[in-house]
Amino acid sequence: FHKVIAATAEAADKTNEKLIAKLGMTSEGVNREHFFLNGKWHNEKRWSLLKDEFDLVYSNYIQKEGD
């Protein structure tokens, strides 16, 4: 597959955003007012990791595990 991982999170969720960035994912954009929850509309951010990016992140992880 060309795109191996896609993630979505509420735009206001900074904890998820930090984790997603740490995983090396790239922001693809925002779905504005994408879902309705607790009486108001919320934006949703999207991120992805392409296969070649995943391969690089995974190989770096394996090298660190071996150290």
Side-chain angles (χ1 to χ4, degrees):
F1 296 101
H2 179 67
K3 188 182 292 188
V4 293
I5 300 174
T8 61
E10 182 180 354
D13 189 342
K14 298 301 178 192
T15 302
N16 276 344
E17 195 167 335
K18 286 180 184 179
L19 173 62
I20 290 167
K22 189 173 182 177
L23 293 172
M25 299 183 97
T26 300
S27 175
E28 289 193 333
V30 176
N31 291 325
R32 296 172 55 210
E33 296 186 356
H34 188 68
F35 62 96
F36 193 78
L37 180 66
N38 297 329
K40 68 179 205 174
W41 288 99
H42 298 264
N43 295 339
E44 176 186 73
K45 287 189 175 180
R46 294 185 322 272
W47 294 268
S48 69
L49 194 63
L50 301 177
K51 183 180 182 324
D52 61 335
E53 296 165 338
F54 173 82
D55 291 342
L56 179 62
V57 169
Y58 184 72
S59 67
N60 289 339
Y61 173 78
I62 295 298
Q63 285 178 342
K64 287 180 183 176
E65 287 291 308
D67 292 343

